[in-house]
Amino acid sequence: MPEEKKLFPSYSIYAPSDLSKRWFVYWYEGKKRKKKYGNINTYQTAAGRKKAAKAIIRLLKADARRRMSKTEDSVRDFIANHSPNWSQKTREQYQSIANILFDYLAGHELTQDLIEAFLLEIRKTRHPTTYNKYVSLSKRLLTAAGYDFIFEDIKKVKTSSTPARYFQPHQAKRLLTAIEKDHEQLALFVRFIYYCFIRPGELRMLKSEDVLLEDGQIRIPGEVSKNRKTQFVAIPNQFLSHLAPLYEMAPGDYIFPSTLHPTKPVSINYMYNHHRAFLKAMNFGRGYSLYSWKHTGAVAAAKAGISVKELQLQLRHHSLDETDRYLRQMGVRDLSNLKERFPGITNKKR
């Protein structure tokens, strides 16, 4: 199976500040680096060289587009036309599937045999759940582009759901203590997820103005939320003291700014990667992730007696049934009466 890559190679500009050194555009084809100098170095200013380099990149992309198949062209047009209405995660999923599919097809027009061969490769190398996602997303993309007949005989495979992993209280305490010692920003990020059940992808985009400290609420704007709806979650009292630094922030400041560009949000994988390093260093097994803090908070709240209705609102689930299923998959059941009052098998009736 070929490596995943973008529609175009990732073109970059080698731009040393010392203008006596040559600038060039470079990209990778497999593991081999390609270069193109063009007329970039005829310019004596950084701005002039940058403009010339960007013109070369546009020509390289145009040349790549001319080699696309009709199938790919139709799918790419569909993505371009509809992506403004999608969440960032949805857009990235469709683009990733399209990139992998058309990299496999290598310019050939799509046929029933080729899509079956592609999905067979995916099935050999991916988990059944991931395979089914490839089937679903590929079908949606190709159906929208007019190729629905391709999937008439393609079926999903059976899967068994894996319960979500959450940290036990002693594990959560030990892990958070380690994170607090070495990475204060990540520690605050973790607390947001634990107390407010905010998804990491949403959290990185929140600004100071979205945290309504006096009202004890956090506003999740529709443009960053998973369901594209603006919703509110409560700030538990135990979390409020950790939010004191927000009083000093300007309304438009990102709560978690990029370490390189303070006016931009932290990058998509920054918190995931740093958290993964802590998990690895502390020998946590498979199944644990940054998202496990959401599950940990939900389980802790349920065991503390917080009602399913309140949890539904805080989790932003569409129904009580969804919240109930969410808790049950982690083994959370209201069995306190059963444990304490279940009669012994030899108990006599009174």
Side-chain angles (χ1 to χ4, degrees), residues 52-70:
K54 286 184 174 180
I56 289 173
I57 290 173
R58 285 196 296 271
L59 289 173
L60 289 169
K61 287 183 176 181
D63 183 60
R65 177 164 287 280
R66 283 193 290 274
R67 294 196 297 270
M68 277 199 290
S69 66
K70 291 180 180 178

Side-chain angles (χ1 to χ4, degrees), residues 113-148:
D113 289 341
L114 281 176
I115 194 65
E116 288 179 357
F118 167 71
L119 290 173
L120 181 60
E121 288 294 323
I122 296 296
R123 188 168 179 178
K124 289 178 181 177
T125 57
R126 305 295 201 278
H127 187 276
T129 301
T130 304
Y131 169 79
N132 287 341
K133 183 177 288 187
Y134 271 81
V135 172
S136 297
L137 294 179
S138 299
K139 184 175 182 178
R140 288 178 202 167
L141 279 179
L142 294 169
T143 296
Y147 294 85
D148 53 309

Side-chain angles (χ1 to χ4, degrees), residues 249-345:
M249 297 177 69
D253 289 348
Y254 286 103
I255 300 172
F256 297 100
S258 166
T259 54
L260 298 177
H261 305 285
T263 59
K264 296 182 179 180
V266 68
S267 64
I268 294 174
N269 294 318
Y270 178 85
M271 295 296 185
Y272 277 106
N273 291 340
H274 281 270
H275 189 267
R276 187 185 301 117
F278 281 100
L279 292 175
K280 184 177 181 180
M282 299 178 73
N283 201 27
F284 277 85
R286 293 183 63 182
Y288 293 103
S289 72
L290 182 59
Y291 211 78
S292 296
W293 286 103
K294 178 186 174 186
H295 308 323
T296 303
V299 169
K303 290 183 176 180
I306 295 174
S307 70
V308 176
K309 180 60 180 177
E310 289 179 287
L311 284 172
Q312 179 206 344
L313 296 174
Q314 190 78 340
L315 286 162
R316 289 175 287 145
H317 287 167
H318 70 273
S319 69
L320 289 171
D321 284 344
E322 182 183 0
T323 303
D324 187 57
R325 287 194 300 272
Y326 173 77
L327 293 173
R328 280 192 285 110
Q329 72 162 330
M330 292 181 287
V332 179
R333 297 174 175 86
D334 187 8
L335 298 178
S336 57
N337 285 335
L338 182 147
K339 290 179 179 178
E340 296 172 8
R341 302 181 185 179
F342 202 103
I345 196 167

